[in-house]
Amino acid sequence: MSKQELVVLGQDESGCCPTLLTAPLDQEQAVELAKMFKALGDPVRLRLLSMIASREGGEICVCDLTPAFDLSQPTISHHLKLLRQAGLIDCERRGTWVYYWLLPGTIDKLAGVLTRSGRPATSEASA
Amino acid sequence: MSKQELVVLGQDESGCCPTLLTAPLDQEQAVELAKMFKALGDPVRLRLLSMIASREGGEICVCDLTPAFDLSQPTISHHLKLLRQAGLIDCERRGTWVYYWLLPGTIDKLAGVLTRSGRPATSEASA
DNA sequence: AGGCTGTTTTGATGTTTCTCTATGCAAGCT
DNA sequence: AGCTTGCATAGAGAAACATCAAAACAGCCT
């Protein structure tokens, strides 16, 4: 059930600072990262990810996700699949139900790639 | 020239922890964030952003961006427009040339939204 | 076995996105 | 003024995406 993830970009060879803001990305890295950001580029998937990530206990049943949206159940399933293919979440069937949880490594990678060095990286972004 | 930016999501009312990973996103926030992530969901735009952000001096001329790609000049211009509409960059014409620079606030916001609390948020994501 | 519930897959359809060529506009130069 | 260069916009075609209904699949429970 947890096949088709994404090979996660071999960063950090240089010792520090995952790049994007510090050095030009090469084509291959850009393609890799774009897949993950694209997965975040949809309101439904963002909300799904948010619901999964913020769930106490770390995992959530599909049956708890679906009713939160005005979308058909197959559509939700499709979005979950895309998040999974992006390496952001994983799932497991337990009896009748399927449970999803966050894969923190991928999120951390994306956060790191967007983080300018020497910042607390939480709030203070008042734009 | 710097019209049509994006109103940046009024986060952080609660004092800390910009959400996404800590509490379910509501529809409006998700739509807002998705626009920005969608802008990052393309390899060309990621590379453009990376070239702009990492440029010493903080800004770069379009004439230095275009030749780095196997794409037509209007296509690059189009991607730059999308990045600008997402509030990630801004630009100004100076004489013959147009210069682009990063808007750090938006990047910081996205990084913050993806950052799990209590993490250095740079490397260590070896997935 | 047969039926029921929860989830994924398939196939179809309308919309969005990426890319190009052609055109337009702005600024400098002769 | 007219030409040239740098960049943006307009319009069009192909590919990718979001969504749904229908069908398939996986575990229960009689």
Side-chain angles (χ1 to χ4, degrees):
Chain A
M1 177 142 260
S2 50
K3 299 151 202 166
Q4 47 192 353
E5 262 97 78
L6 210 62
V7 177
V8 184
L9 166 65
Q11 64 164 27
D12 240 15
E13 312 291 63
S14 56
C16 170
C17 308
T19 72
L20 202 178
L21 303 175
T22 56
L25 237 41
D26 67 37
Q27 172 70 18
E28 194 184 353
Q29 293 174 318
V31 167
E32 205 67 34
L33 284 174
K35 286 179 194 166
M36 307 183 208
F37 281 123
K38 187 179 294 185
L40 298 180
D42 180 280
V44 174
R45 289 195 291 271
L46 272 183
R47 288 181 61 202
L48 284 169
L49 189 73
S50 174
M51 291 175 73
I52 294 169
S54 65
R55 183 65 160 206
E56 207 167 338
E59 55 185 31
I60 186 169
C61 175
V62 172
C63 61
D64 288 329
L65 291 170
T66 307
F69 298 85
D70 276 339
L71 294 170
S72 71
Q73 188 274 323
T75 297
I76 300 300
S77 186
H78 170 246
H79 284 302
L80 288 170
K81 183 179 183 179
L82 293 185
L83 285 172
R84 195 153 50 80
Q85 289 177 332
L88 289 160
I89 59 176
D90 201 359
C91 67
E92 184 186 37
R93 167 163 232 133
R94 284 206 282 279
T96 306
W97 293 281
V98 177
Y99 294 86
Y100 280 82
W101 59 85
L102 190 72
L103 291 178
T106 308
I107 290 276
D108 290 352
K109 167 182 296 298
L110 294 182
V113 151
L114 292 180
T115 300
R116 298 182 296 134
S117 302
R119 264 192 1 107
T122 38
S123 53
E124 95 178 14
S126 50
Chain B
M1 177 143 264
S2 51
K3 300 149 198 168
Q4 47 192 356
E5 261 97 80
L6 210 63
V7 178
V8 185
L9 167 65
Q11 66 164 24
D12 239 13
E13 313 290 66
S14 56
C16 170
C17 307
T19 72
L20 201 179
L21 304 174
T22 56
L25 237 40
D26 67 36
Q27 172 69 21
E28 193 183 355
Q29 294 173 315
V31 168
E32 204 67 34
L33 283 174
K35 287 180 196 168
M36 307 183 211
F37 281 124
K38 187 178 297 185
L40 297 180
D42 179 280
V44 174
R45 288 194 292 272
L46 273 183
R47 288 182 61 201
L48 284 168
L49 189 73
S50 174
M51 292 176 72
I52 295 169
S54 65
R55 182 66 161 206
E56 208 168 336
E59 56 184 30
I60 187 171
C61 176
V62 173
C63 60
D64 289 329
L65 292 171
T66 306
F69 298 85
D70 275 340
L71 293 169
S72 69
Q73 180 271 320
T75 297
I76 300 300
S77 186
H78 171 245
H79 284 302
L80 287 170
K81 183 179 184 178
L82 293 185
L83 285 171
R84 195 152 52 81
Q85 288 177 334
L88 289 161
I89 58 176
D90 201 359
C91 66
E92 184 186 38
R93 167 164 232 132
R94 285 206 283 281
T96 305
W97 293 281
V98 176
Y99 294 86
Y100 280 82
W101 59 86
L102 188 73
L103 291 179
T106 308
I107 291 275
D108 290 353
K109 165 182 297 297
L110 293 181
V113 152
L114 292 180
T115 300
R116 299 181 295 135
S117 302
R119 265 196 355 110
T122 38
S123 55
E124 96 179 15
S126 51

